[in-house]
Amino acid sequence: MAKLTFKSDDCKGCGLCVDACPKKVLALSKDKINKKGHHPIEAVKPDDCIGCAFCATMCPDCIITVER
Amino acid sequence: MVVFEKPKSLTDVSMHYCPGCTHGIIHRLVAEVIDELGIEGKTIGIAPVGCSVLAYNYFRCDMIEAAHGRAPAVATGVKRSLPENIVFTYQGDGDLASIGTAETVHAAARNENITIIFINNAIYGMTGGQMAPTSLPGQVTQTSPYGRDVTQCGYPVKVCEMLSQLDGPEYLERVTVNNVKNIRNAKRAIKKAFQNQVEGKGFSLVEVLSSCPTNWGMTPQKALEWIDEKMIPYYPLGVYKDRSANKEAKA
Ligand SMILES: Cc1ncc(C[n+]2csc(CCOP(=O)(O)OP(=O)(O)O)c2C)c(N)n1
Ligand code: SF4
Ligand code: SF4
Ligand code: SF4
């Protein structure tokens, strides 16, 4: 199983990673707001992650680390 | 095993770019290439004026801030005095194709052994979204509220096509970063542009079609679609010049 780590404090909530994920693993948090004032990224279906790193490739801010 | 992490050649500083702005993706690709070529210790970057004016905070290599448009001239001086170092500029379209046109054209004509990463987002981002020389015909900007009127403002400058008419440059390619496939291709081109300099081949410029969601007035997602729908038809992707490849093909 792949493992995702997020640098959530710096996430800008742009959602580009959400759209890039073929497995619909990611979503912006509905209740949390980070110190930058954005809804940060979260893994809502972490067990479905295949570790393809499409999300991290699209992220302009290097928020996501992917391990496999 | 780590499949993806932030490249070593980027600092830990959080970038100031707007949410979803592809400047950040292009910074990362440059840093990944510096890491992969193992040239971090001898690379010198030249930052422009524009949204990427603060690029010196983000790259871990030595950086110099140039006056608006003058990065290729600064790079020329640095590379000629420190020929063993790897020198790159990172410039927007207002910087490279407007106020800095002369520096760009003559550095290319002289085949300076430098690498230029040219960010074409068809607008002046930093100053609030004015029309750039690269804004598309009909494109609405702060200074063309009814759309760019080519009878008044002329036509966009196509930098790769224009420079390809010169005998000087070694390598010119236009890429974009609006999806995973295109990002991988952009990285290949950026790596080649740095590798060319390592091998002493000469002037290498990669034009990257980039988004400006804020000043285009779009979501980051819509801005990536706009690159496909509007920018690529006007600015076709591809290699505009590759002298070494041509030589090999002829031999
Ligand atoms: C000599 C000079 N003239 C004008 C300006 C104002 N100015 C700052 S950034 C900029 C254009 C930036 O646009 P671009 O290069 O496309 O970069 P972007 O911000 O879109 O990334 C201009 C005209 C300046 N700083 N210095
Ligand atoms: S690594 Fe692939 S599957 Fe996992 S969250 Fe990222 S895009 Fe989705
Ligand atoms: S692409 Fe990066 S900055 Fe944007 S929402 Fe995803 S993790 Fe956050
Ligand atoms: S103004 Fe445009 S180019 Fe500048 S950081 Fe924001 S989105 Fe990016």
Side-chain angles (χ1 to χ4, degrees), chain A residues 18-30:
Chain A
V18 176
D19 293 358
C21 177
K23 294 288 177 185
K24 308 224 174 317
V25 170
L26 303 170
L28 298 179
S29 173
K30 291 207 169 59

Side-chain angles (χ1 to χ4, degrees), chain A residues 7 9-10 12-20 36 38 51-68, chain B residues 1-7 10 12-25 28 177-180 183-184 220-221 224:
Chain A
K7 205 177 170 208
D9 283 351
D10 291 341
K12 295 176 186 166
C14 68
L16 293 184
C17 57
V18 176
D19 293 358
K36 280 191 189 290
H38 300 295
C52 65
F54 282 15
C55 53
T57 304
M58 278 315 293
C59 176
D61 291 277
C62 298
I63 301 303
I64 309 171
T65 302
V66 185
E67 287 166 88
R68 199 160 49 189
Chain B
M1 184 187 72
V2 176
V3 194
F4 187 102
E5 64 183 338
K6 189 173 189 170
L10 284 182
D12 293 332
V13 180
S14 170
M15 297 189 209
H16 72 287
Y17 301 111
C18 304
C21 171
T22 49
H23 263 303
I25 297 178
R28 188 190 76 231
V177 289
N178 66 343
N179 60 42
V180 171
I183 289 173
R184 292 203 176 133
Q221 290 74 7
L224 298 185

Side-chain angles (χ1 to χ4, degrees), chain B residues 67-73 91-110 116 118 124 132-134 157-159 162-163 166 203 205:
Chain B
H68 203 8
R70 313 304 180 222
Q91 303 175 257
D93 45 6
D95 191 82
L96 180 144
S98 183
I99 192 168
T101 315
E103 283 76 3
T104 306
V105 170
H106 288 285
R110 295 192 306 267
I116 294 189
F118 165 40
Y124 285 5
T134 44
V157 177
K158 296 181 171 181
V159 170
M162 176 177 75
L163 296 181
L166 298 168
F203 188 91
L205 178 148

